[in-house]
Amino acid sequence: MFSRIGAAQKGLYNHAVMWSFFHKLGSPPWLYDIAGSILRWLLPVTIMALLVGAVWGLLFTSPDFRQGNSYRIIYIHVPSAVVALAGYYVMAIAGAVSLIWRMKMADVAMKAAAPIGAALTFIALFTGALWGKPTWGTWWEWDARITSMLILLFLYLGVVALYEAFDNKEAAGRACAILSLVGMVNIPIIYKSVDWWYSLHQPASIKFSGESAIDSSMLYPLLLMIGAFYALFTCCLLMNMRAELVQRESRTAWVRKLVKQDGAH
Amino acid sequence: MYFDSLQAALSMEGHGSFVWVAYLITLLIISAILLLPALRRRRLLRRIATELARQESGYATGKGAR
Amino acid sequence: MHPVRRQRLILVLFLVVFSSVAAGLVTYALRGNINLFFPPAEVAAGGAPVGQSIRVGGMVLEDSVQRSQDSLEVSFTLTDYEAQVPVVYAGILPDLFGEGQGAVAAGKLDENGVLQATEVLAKHDENYMPPEVAEALEKSGYDKKGQAR
């Protein structure tokens, strides 16, 4: 009789330990603080990496044997496109979590990811146009890769607009989560578009298996920039989430305490 | 450094305008997505601070009137 | 898992699977239209309409580019190493256009099977390297993938 109660309590305790991390993740003040302490070191590291990578790619690498100097756009074009795609997964998975578990912080993360993804997709399209003109001879072509990237931009902007369109923010979160989940089919299409169809856009240069089609002297600054853009996405996501948390929790005790501390110095 | 002079780096054998415009626009957008959320949080905190101050003074005068 | 959450999870999975199937069917139905261009083999087989605006893409055949002396007119041949399509074009070619390189020409096929192009785009591959490396590879007679030319 007593041992049964003990076992039940132990089970309850393990359960509590397992879920305590998730509960912390769901706690706005904890998330606000931890995001702040991550940003304190990640933000300067990100800005340094972006500057070093950009100067390296712009001024210190050799030009390409065929394209000359126009290929230097690769150091912003490829990283922004790669992270725009990865960011979509962050948004869609956060949307799924908020749909299934009704976790408010997942909703905050989904809403925070959308404008950053839109900005990165825009950078990829804009720099692509500037790269296409001197190499292909056109700013824009309705090619499978380029068109599917444009759809990605509309999906991100759609999530931003849909969220604003609802007065009831809970319903807004659910609608946006569904839109981002449905839009997820676009991501493998973007990845595979250059292999499935005849397109003007060339296939990927960086390969996960086998030798990359880009010389190592050009690959290292590119990898640095890809890492820097991932860090940039993380920074912006955390900053957006912190602002959103302050707004949503403006009437709670922890935000009031925060305001008083902020006013003190 | 690959280029011999600033002039060469700016012109990039005719591709300079494309490359530099791409980098400049990217710089502008990155600055915007880094600064906007920070400014928004600052503004929110300041607004809550003034609201709190008004509430507190409001309570004080309210009590004094009674 | 809580039954309500399991139900929501199934709903989310259904949403993703359903939209993937829908998108898959649409892209399958449009598979021909998503291609930016016809390969020369398909043009030779009669797969491309005559007198309508189309694009043909392939490699520019070596020694096929002929420039007119007194105008911007240029003629060349596109190939996919299975079939060839002759192209006539009057206009400025992109910098990267050259023999042995990829190109996409847009225009209309005439009765003789010649593509009267109104636009020519250069297509480049995914290989990037400094000029010295390209020269060294040229000398050694191997391409970037380590295969003998």
Side-chain angles (χ1 to χ4, degrees):
Chain A
M1 179 77 185
F2 283 114
S3 68
R4 273 180 67 96
I5 292 171
Q9 272 177 341
K10 205 175 169 198
L12 212 64
Y13 176 73
N14 280 343
H15 191 258
V17 168
M18 196 175 75
W19 283 100
S20 72
F21 176 72
F22 290 98
H23 285 156
K24 269 189 191 164
L25 213 58
S27 147
W30 185 84
L31 197 65
Y32 184 91
D33 283 345
I34 208 84
S37 51
I38 291 171
L39 280 168
R40 240 190 305 283
W41 62 267
L42 188 61
L43 196 59
V45 167
T46 303
I47 292 171
M48 275 307 289
L50 282 170
L51 285 176
V52 170
V55 171
W56 190 354
L58 265 176
L59 301 177
F60 288 89
T61 54
S62 165
D64 179 56
F65 74 119
R66 292 209 54 230
Q67 301 182 26
N69 287 307
S70 63
Y71 102 98
R72 293 180 195 279
I73 295 174
I74 201 174
Y75 298 111
I76 43 181
H77 177 76
V78 169
S80 58
V82 165
V83 180
L85 294 182
Y88 198 90
Y89 282 123
V90 172
M91 184 175 81
I93 289 168
V97 170
S98 88
L99 265 189
I100 299 166
W101 285 280
R102 295 286 140 88
M103 197 173 142
K104 277 188 203 149
M105 295 311 108
D107 189 60
V108 170
M110 179 188 69
K111 196 195 167 204
I116 315 165
L120 290 172
T121 313
F122 179 80
I123 293 177
L125 284 169
F126 192 86
T127 55
L130 282 167
W131 193 3
K133 188 64 188 168
T135 49
W136 300 336
T138 182
W139 300 102
W140 184 267
E141 197 60 47
W142 293 100
D143 155 296
R145 168 61 70 78
I146 304 173
T147 310
S148 53
M149 257 331 249
L150 186 67
I151 294 172
L152 182 72
L153 178 64
F154 290 154
L155 281 169
Y156 273 130
L157 293 177
V159 170
V160 173
L162 194 60
Y163 210 101
E164 295 309 317
F166 278 84
D167 283 332
N168 177 353
K169 290 305 168 196
E170 208 173 308
R174 245 173 269 173
C176 288
I178 289 170
L179 176 63
S180 31
L181 283 166
V182 170
M184 209 154 77
V185 296
N186 191 33
I187 305 297
I189 293 177
I190 298 176
Y191 273 122
K192 286 285 165 193
S193 55
V194 288
D195 303 327
W196 288 343
W197 300 292
Y198 296 119
S199 66
L200 191 60
H201 198 287
Q202 65 283 1
S205 295
I206 301 174
K207 289 166 182 118
F208 292 108
S209 56
E211 205 195 339
S212 286
I214 175 165
D215 191 76
S216 56
S217 69
M218 298 164 162
L219 179 65
Y220 295 138
L222 183 57
L223 291 177
L224 173 66
M225 280 303 260
I226 292 176
F229 268 73
Y230 269 111
L232 174 71
F233 181 86
T234 312
C235 284
C236 291
L237 186 75
L238 292 177
M239 287 165 78
N240 272 345
M241 286 177 75
R242 265 160 71 92
E244 184 71 21
L245 283 174
V246 170
Q247 181 164 33
R248 288 191 187 193
E249 306 266 312
S250 59
R251 297 187 186 284
T252 59
W254 75 269
V255 172
R256 292 183 175 211
K257 209 174 126 202
L258 192 79
V259 168
K260 292 210 172 105
Q261 280 170 353
D262 203 49
H265 52 74
Chain B
M1 190 154 119
Y2 171 77
F3 297 98
D4 301 327
S5 63
L6 185 69
Q7 206 63 45
L10 283 177
S11 81
M12 287 194 172
E13 288 148 29
H15 290 150
S17 50
F18 298 104
V19 176
W20 287 105
V21 168
Y23 275 79
L24 269 177
I25 295 290
T26 306
L27 178 71
L28 281 179
I29 295 173
I30 289 179
S31 313
I33 59 175
L34 281 174
L35 286 175
L36 287 177
L39 288 175
R40 181 179 163 217
R41 190 172 63 90
R42 282 281 151 76
R43 213 169 41 227
L44 282 167
L45 285 176
R46 221 173 311 142
R47 205 176 66 197
I48 296 165
T50 50
E51 239 167 63
L52 277 180
R54 200 165 47 214
Q55 266 178 21
E56 269 164 24
S57 66
Y59 283 140
T61 52
K63 269 177 194 160
R66 246 171 247 164
Chain C
M1 196 187 257
H2 194 281
V4 177
R5 285 175 201 142
R6 183 180 297 148
Q7 202 184 348
R8 289 188 201 134
L9 177 68
I10 291 167
L11 198 75
V12 164
L13 288 176
F14 171 78
L15 205 67
V16 170
V17 170
F18 183 79
S19 49
S20 308
V21 169
L25 287 174
V26 169
T27 46
Y28 181 75
L30 292 173
R31 65 197 178 282
N33 297 338
I34 297 173
N35 288 325
L36 187 74
F37 54 80
F38 289 99
E42 208 167 305
V43 177
V50 175
Q52 276 182 33
S53 287
I54 56 159
R55 293 195 197 86
V56 179
M59 301 303 261
V60 179
L61 195 68
E62 298 279 352
D63 302 324
S64 74
V65 179
Q66 284 175 338
R67 285 165 207 270
S68 157
Q69 295 290 320
D70 49 354
S71 70
L72 279 172
E73 195 166 283
V74 60
S75 69
F76 57 91
T77 305
L78 283 174
T79 179
D80 53 2
Y81 306 109
E82 279 179 44
Q84 299 182 348
V85 172
V87 182
V88 180
Y89 173 66
I92 296 159
L93 290 165
D95 293 348
L96 284 188
F97 181 88
E99 290 178 348
Q101 305 296 337
V104 176
K108 288 174 182 167
L109 275 178
D110 64 14
E111 305 82 56
N112 306 322
V114 177
L115 187 77
Q116 302 287 337
T118 51
E119 188 184 28
V120 173
L121 304 175
K123 183 168 157 50
H124 64 81
D125 61 18
E126 70 276 27
N127 294 312
Y128 300 91
M129 58 187 120
E132 313 88 70
V133 176
E135 245 168 67
L137 281 175
E138 194 74 38
K139 269 184 201 149
S140 67
Y142 287 90
D143 66 14
K144 175 73 187 163
K145 292 177 185 94
Q147 286 151 349
R149 275 189 235 253

